[in-house]
Amino acid sequence: MALIPVTILTGFLGSGKTTLLKHILTEQHGKKIAVIENEFGEENIDNDILVQSAQEQIVQMSNGCVCCSIRGDLVEALNQLWEERKSKKINFDRVVIETTGVANPGPVAQTFFIDDDIANRYVLDAVVTLVDAKYSQQQLTEHEEVQRQVGFADRIFITKPDLASKEEITSLKIRLMHMNPRAPIEMITRGVAPLDAVFDLKGFNLNAKLDIDPHFLGEHDHDHSECGHDHHDHEHHNHHDHHGHADRIQSFVFKSDKPFDHRKLEDFLGGVISVFAEKLLRYKGVLYVKGSARKVILQGVHEMMGSDLAGPWGAGEPKQSRMVFIGIDLPKDTLLGGLEGCLVK
């Protein structure tokens, strides 16, 4: 049986998660979606569009979607949905989990790799993060949870763009891009997002392509096989581009045309993960490894790291490793230098 894809929807209080969910739960899109809504959220969906008795935990919507309020553990809620589906009481083909506004999405994402039952039934598709056009600059500065939500994202929606000036939105985009250059940024109004921008993003699929924002690469991409020092420039930009905000969550890219020695790389990454697992939010790479005619795809969340062989390098395609790391107070120079040390001399 195919695994059921799961989308984690996150964003700070007032960022518009509930508005987007209402759109998903009421539009006639023909998809059968189960929404797990965390009851501690700032605004419960059921207050507005669900009629539900105190005993009912799962409610079928008129468009075929299903809504479930968590009154306990996420694993329990997912298992309960699975059992109800198995017994044909309800029908759904994907799940959206709405986290609370102050939640760190990391532990929610890890659930899908740690719990065997969940991993055998569900597959984490993506983390989608909403940020408020007007207030998120301040929220990013004041709340590390908001930075984590951005750092974990596979896609970022800027909401309520009509309430902010063009200059404010541009400044916000630059800041978000520096924190997470691998998440495309789109603007949505009144919660209306195209469903193909929310679903089937394959953010946790090992063979999905590695997208790094080209503007970010233009400013900061250096070939570390040529020089061990030019990544200092990246540090300079990150600290001064957005009005002096030194965000604890930052990203950096490693790129080289030289192949990796796979044993050295494995040892080095193993050490990095054992020391920095909590600080590493997301990391992903397409690797050029000596002795392999195929690309090696690597990605992880905290200490959960996976790698896989992808397709062969195309004829005329330059063989090149590209890796992006997103984390909290990571020692960039140490990590970049260590990766260089794993290249075949």
Side-chain angles (χ1 to χ4, degrees):
M1 197 183 289
L3 297 176
I4 298 167
V6 178
T7 301
I8 297 172
L9 186 62
T10 187
F12 199 60
L13 303 164
S15 61
K17 296 188 299 298
T18 302
T19 310
L20 175 58
L21 272 182
K22 281 181 195 167
H23 170 64
I24 290 170
L25 282 173
T26 53
E27 283 294 300
Q28 296 305 315
H29 42 59
K31 295 181 187 292
K32 297 197 178 301
I33 302 162
V35 172
I36 295 179
E37 192 213 357
N38 197 313
E39 272 208 312
F40 306 106
E42 62 276 13
E43 182 193 347
N44 288 345
I45 279 208
D46 38 357
N47 291 351
D48 293 317
I49 58 170
L50 298 184
V51 180
Q52 118 179 55
S53 70
Q55 292 78 38
E56 272 185 304
Q57 194 169 353
I58 296 173
V59 177
Q60 190 92 27
M61 307 297 298
S62 59
N63 67 346
C65 291
V66 173
C67 196
C68 162
S69 291
I70 296 183
R71 288 177 171 78
D73 184 58
L74 173 62
V75 171
E76 282 173 30
L78 286 164
N79 284 332
Q80 185 188 349
L81 278 176
W82 176 267
E83 293 302 331
E84 300 255 353
R85 182 178 186 257
K86 195 172 151 192
S87 61
K88 302 217 171 4
K89 288 183 187 169
I90 56 173
N91 186 19
F92 61 90
D93 46 34
R94 65 176 64 248
V95 175
V96 176
I97 298 170
E98 180 199 12
T99 67
T100 69
V102 292
N104 166 14
V108 181
Q110 282 185 289
T111 302
F112 295 88
F113 303 99
I114 293 171
D115 188 283
D116 287 344
D117 281 345
I118 299 302
N120 289 328
R121 296 168 176 176
Y122 298 94
V123 59
L124 183 55
D125 178 51
V127 175
V128 175
T129 299
L130 276 61
V131 296
D132 180 292
K134 185 79 178 164
Y135 298 110
S136 56
Q137 286 276 24
Q138 182 184 346
Q139 291 163 352
L140 282 164
T141 301
E142 292 177 0
H143 302 279
E144 194 173 298
E145 298 90 351
V146 184
Q147 292 194 29
R148 284 177 184 264
Q149 290 166 1
V150 169
F152 269 105
D154 295 290
R155 172 148 291 160
I156 297 169
F157 288 126
I158 296 177
T159 60
K160 309 174 201 171
D162 49 318
L163 301 181
S165 67
K166 277 186 180 172
E167 292 74 21
E168 285 173 319
I169 290 172
T170 301
S171 171
L172 175 60
K173 278 185 175 174
I174 290 169
R175 188 173 184 185
L176 295 171
M177 194 172 69
H178 280 281
M179 295 169 78
N180 185 340
R182 55 176 290 280
I185 301 170
E186 295 182 29
M187 289 192 281
I188 60 170
T189 305
R190 289 185 287 283
V192 180
L195 292 189
D196 60 3
V198 180
F199 299 137
D200 299 323
L201 304 183
K202 297 185 167 50
F204 289 83
N205 178 340
L206 273 174
N207 286 315
K209 67 183 191 294
L210 175 62
D211 287 321
I212 303 172
D213 191 290
H215 299 295
F216 183 90
L217 286 177
E219 285 183 58
H220 299 302
D221 214 6
H222 306 297
D223 188 341
H224 297 287
S225 61
E226 300 301 322
C227 169
H229 301 290
D230 43 15
H231 44 257
H232 290 297
D233 187 43
H234 179 92
E235 184 100 27
H236 169 81
H237 276 287
N238 256 5
H239 279 74
H240 299 289
D241 262 0
H242 19 264
H243 316 298
H245 299 307
D247 292 321
R248 291 190 65 206
I249 292 182
Q250 295 182 2
S251 57
F252 60 90
V253 172
F254 177 86
K255 185 175 145 189
S256 178
D257 297 318
K258 292 182 180 176
F260 276 116
D261 177 316
H262 78 94
R263 283 197 180 85
K264 283 185 181 175
L265 183 63
E266 215 167 89
D267 288 349
F268 176 69
L269 289 175
V272 166
I273 287 164
S274 66
V275 176
F276 298 110
E278 266 312 297
K279 293 187 167 190
L280 272 171
L281 303 187
R282 298 285 296 271
Y283 44 102
K284 188 164 187 173
V286 178
L287 310 181
Y288 169 31
V289 175
K290 188 185 179 187
S292 174
R294 294 163 70 182
K295 300 170 185 174
V296 175
I297 309 290
L298 163 94
Q299 83 154 325
V301 177
H302 291 317
E303 73 273 19
M304 303 286 156
M305 181 175 74
S307 62
D308 199 7
L309 287 170
W313 296 95
E317 181 183 9
K319 293 180 178 178
Q320 183 186 69
S321 294
R322 293 171 76 187
M323 304 172 78
V324 60
F325 293 85
I326 300 169
I328 306 166
D329 297 334
L330 291 175
K332 285 198 271 281
D333 292 359
T334 305
L335 296 181
L336 291 171
L339 288 167
E340 275 177 49
C342 298
L343 298 171
V344 175
K345 299 297 178 223

